Amino acid sequence: MIIFKFNSIKVQINTSLARIQTLILGMDRNIQIDVLRLDLIHPIISGNKWYKLKYYLEDALHRGFTEIASFGGAYSNHIVATACACSESKLKSIGFIRGDQTTELSHTLHTASLLGMQLQFITREAYQNKKIIMENNKHPNRYWIPEGGYGLLGAKGAAGMLDEAPSFENYTHIVAAIGSGTMIAGLLNGSLQHQTIIGISSLKNNSSLEKEVFALTEIKNHHRLVMNHHYHFGGFAKHPSELLDFMNEFWESESIPTDIVYTGKLFFAINDLLHKNYFKEGDKILVVHSGGLQGNLSLPEKSLPF
Ligand SMILES: *Cc1c(COP(=O)(O)O)cnc(C)c1O
């Protein structure tokens, strides 16, 4: 039950709730699509966020820091997960948030603030230069986690997500959503030489993404990565009705809830690629459900049935 423990400081995440759910989708073509339900491990520190954070937190605690600082936008799952993990591990937290403060906080930031995170708003312009922000906000007790958990420790944690999938060596493909690229880098490092890793980008025109993923991965693995930039639906967090309709249908047919930023687009892509005969008979596909459902709370009520 409690998987993270350091000097008696605990974060309660129930990773044993993670499970494999096989989709009905693909069955008629003899294509097995298994979803790794990491959305189930915790309502706030859900999915990949826990895995990406854990080695940073361990490093911070080990080195005696008492406060965690990180970066993110108003709808950042990483920010709220950091706030929650810090509150459970009795660490102080501060979030440097992109953009000016609006009169009403987003649901995500409101939750982060309830969890004790101090929020500091940074203009979009100033936010471009994280080094200067860190320089201007130095504090001896403060440990910095990069935006989105991007970095070697984040990727190392993400590689551990594969441990939650029994016999993961049997899969031919592993598919996951991409934001910062940290998770896909970890999956690439943690997977085996016969496996193809497919990343579905949630951002439009992110031309530096490949470089960023490669910076966290071994060269011998690079040829196994396929980056797909066709399913961003207009850009990060954009969610036209076509996407919401798909998410509703997917819930009805498979009973899997998805989020508007990452996993809705991910499963839309899986469905579309399947119908375009991208996958072959006999393929065994592992799709990582990376969580993020709290982001749906910023939608108007009753937009989604789950
Ligand atoms: C943050 C997030 C991602 C993106 O992960 P990266 O490591 O930043 O690429 C994907 N899915 C969900 C649900 C997330 O919250």
Side-chain angles (χ1 to χ4, degrees):
M1 165 73 142
I2 299 155
I3 67 152
F4 181 65
K5 200 167 173 192
F6 190 85
N7 288 351
S8 79
I9 297 170
K10 301 165 195 166
V11 176
Q12 300 213 9
I13 305 263
N14 196 348
T15 53
S16 67
L17 290 174
R19 62 181 174 87
I20 292 287
Q21 179 173 344
T22 303
L23 297 187
I24 298 161
L25 186 72
M27 279 182 178
D28 58 341
R29 298 167 193 229
N30 192 22
I31 295 171
Q32 184 178 331
I33 307 177
D34 283 358
V35 180
L36 179 58
R37 297 285 308 269
L38 296 178
D39 55 310
L40 300 170
I41 63 169
H42 191 282
I44 297 175
I45 323 176
S46 80
N48 69 3
K49 294 298 176 278
W50 164 247
Y51 296 88
K52 290 199 293 176
L53 280 171
K54 66 180 190 178
Y55 289 112
Y56 288 113
L57 294 176
E58 191 177 75
D59 187 38
L61 291 166
H62 182 69
R63 290 162 55 188
F65 290 92
T66 55
E67 184 183 292
I68 301 290
S70 197
F71 302 93
Y75 301 99
S76 165
N77 292 331
H78 165 72
I79 280 291
V80 70
T82 303
C84 191
C86 286
S87 120
E88 292 205 28
S89 14
K90 310 282 182 282
L91 285 160
K92 287 210 276 184
S93 65
I94 179 165
F96 290 83
I97 310 301
R98 181 182 60 237
D100 295 322
Q101 180 165 13
T102 48
T103 41
E104 205 177 331
L105 288 180
S106 67
H107 188 279
T108 304
L109 293 184
H110 182 64
T111 309
S113 136
L114 287 178
L115 289 163
M117 181 177 263
Q118 187 191 331
L119 301 176
Q120 194 156 324
F121 291 84
I122 306 285
T123 63
R124 281 173 189 272
E125 202 180 16
Y127 192 83
Q128 300 303 317
N129 198 330
K130 311 274 184 320
K131 268 207 182 113
I132 290 182
I133 300 172
M134 287 162 66
E135 198 58 39
N136 292 342
N137 294 280
K138 258 205 228 147
H139 194 287
N141 298 332
R142 187 172 283 172
Y143 181 93
W144 293 86
I145 298 180
E147 183 177 31
Y150 177 84
L152 290 173
L153 289 180
K156 180 181 168 192
M161 292 164 55
L162 291 169
D163 296 339
E164 315 290 359
S167 323
F168 90 87
E169 65 278 5
N170 290 341
Y171 294 101
T172 53
H173 300 76
I174 298 171
V175 194
I178 303 188
S180 68
T182 314
M183 166 169 59
I184 210 81
L187 294 173
L188 190 57
N189 286 336
S191 57
L192 303 167
Q193 287 307 310
H194 67 274
Q195 296 176 319
T196 300
I197 310 305
I198 304 173
I200 308 295
S201 179
S202 55
L203 293 114
K204 190 175 171 179
N205 303 332
N206 187 355
S207 52
S208 59
L209 195 54
E210 190 160 84
K211 202 177 82 212
E212 279 151 17
V213 176
F214 283 175
L216 303 180
T217 49
E218 292 175 63
I219 292 173
K220 73 171 196 316
N221 291 326
H222 291 180
H223 69 283
R224 296 191 292 113
L225 177 67
V226 178
M227 292 272 203
N228 186 311
H229 296 274
H230 297 127
Y231 297 98
H232 57 70
F233 282 86
F236 191 70
K238 295 276 191 309
H239 49 277
S241 56
E242 188 191 6
L243 178 65
L244 296 180
D245 289 347
F246 171 79
M247 289 164 64
N248 283 327
E249 285 159 26
F250 192 68
W251 166 254
E252 271 170 37
S253 56
E254 307 278 3
S255 305
I256 296 181
T258 50
D259 77 294
I260 51 173
V261 183
Y262 297 105
T263 56
K265 297 176 184 183
L266 169 70
F267 286 104
F268 185 99
I270 296 280
N271 183 57
D272 198 51
L273 290 171
L274 186 79
H275 288 105
K276 288 180 171 153
N277 296 320
Y278 180 90
F279 299 110
K280 291 184 194 55
E281 200 183 323
D283 279 352
K284 284 186 67 151
I285 302 158
L286 181 70
V287 186
V288 178
H289 192 316
S290 41
L293 299 170
Q294 71 82 28
N296 290 340
L297 295 169
S298 61
L299 288 171
E301 250 180 82
K302 302 210 175 93
S303 304
L304 296 164
F306 42 83

